[in-house]
Amino acid sequence: MTILTETYGDVVRLPVHFDDLDAMGVLHNSRYAVLVERAIVIWWQERGVAFTGGGPTTPDAFNVVREYAITFHRPITGTGEIAVYFWLDRMGRTSAEYGFRVTSEDGRTVFAEGRRVNVRLDAATMRPAPWTDHGRELAAALLKN
């Protein structure tokens, strides 16, 4: 069970597989971004914001990562479950600023933490577009107080 003491954000538990490890037996640095991506995608998919049949289920599913920053604290050594805790620091007109922590399954050990900014795009123009009201309502559950 993951310990979550904050009243904002959410936690998604994910497995670390053998092929995620580097030659030293630790999680390869590039895999942290993948784990954060998977956690955020799972959260939105569970709320109906996804890609199905080759297209977005809602306009809010059409977004891209604009920025990504991470600080590594301790290596993840070996396979097993980890937890990705994430939240929204800010929901702008066209962007969403996530904060995240990659932790042990119980949340007591922080392996890495960082920031990620997503921008919603208009599928026709590939230019920034406002989040829908429905997307904002869903995102409110992640907003840091």
Side-chain angles (χ1 to χ4, degrees):
M1 169 178 279
T2 301
I3 298 169
L4 180 60
T5 57
E6 289 85 354
T7 58
Y8 56 89
D10 210 342
V11 173
V12 173
R13 292 172 47 202
L14 296 165
V16 172
H17 299 284
F18 180 76
D19 61 353
D20 292 324
L21 307 178
D22 65 15
M24 296 179 294
V26 300
L27 184 67
H28 190 275
N29 67 81
S30 67
R31 303 307 285 171
Y32 287 82
V34 172
L35 292 169
V36 171
E37 171 82 13
R38 286 180 182 160
I40 291 172
V41 165
I42 287 168
W43 191 90
W44 284 99
Q45 282 177 334
E46 290 174 348
R47 289 149 185 85
V49 180
F51 273 80
T52 303
T57 57
T58 72
D60 294 308
F62 204 84
N63 65 83
V64 295
V65 176
R66 181 168 193 244
E67 295 177 34
Y68 183 81
I70 188 166
T71 300
F72 300 100
H73 297 294
R74 296 183 65 176
I76 294 175
T77 56
T79 60
E81 293 283 316
I82 55 96
V84 178
Y85 170 56
F86 59 95
W87 61 91
L88 282 172
D89 284 316
R90 181 171 122 24
M91 184 79 171
R93 191 173 81 77
T94 63
S95 64
E97 296 179 20
Y98 289 91
F100 65 85
R101 261 186 242 123
V102 179
T103 71
S104 56
E105 190 175 10
D106 65 7
R108 293 183 181 162
T109 302
V110 177
F111 298 114
E113 60 189 330
R115 176 178 181 270
R116 171 185 155 131
V117 178
N118 283 35
V119 175
R120 177 155 121 62
L121 297 180
D122 178 282
T125 65
M126 298 300 283
R127 299 290 305 152
W131 299 103
T132 66
D133 290 340
H134 178 68
R136 289 180 172 286
E137 288 172 21
L138 294 172
L142 296 174
L143 278 170
K144 186 173 180 178
N145 301 330

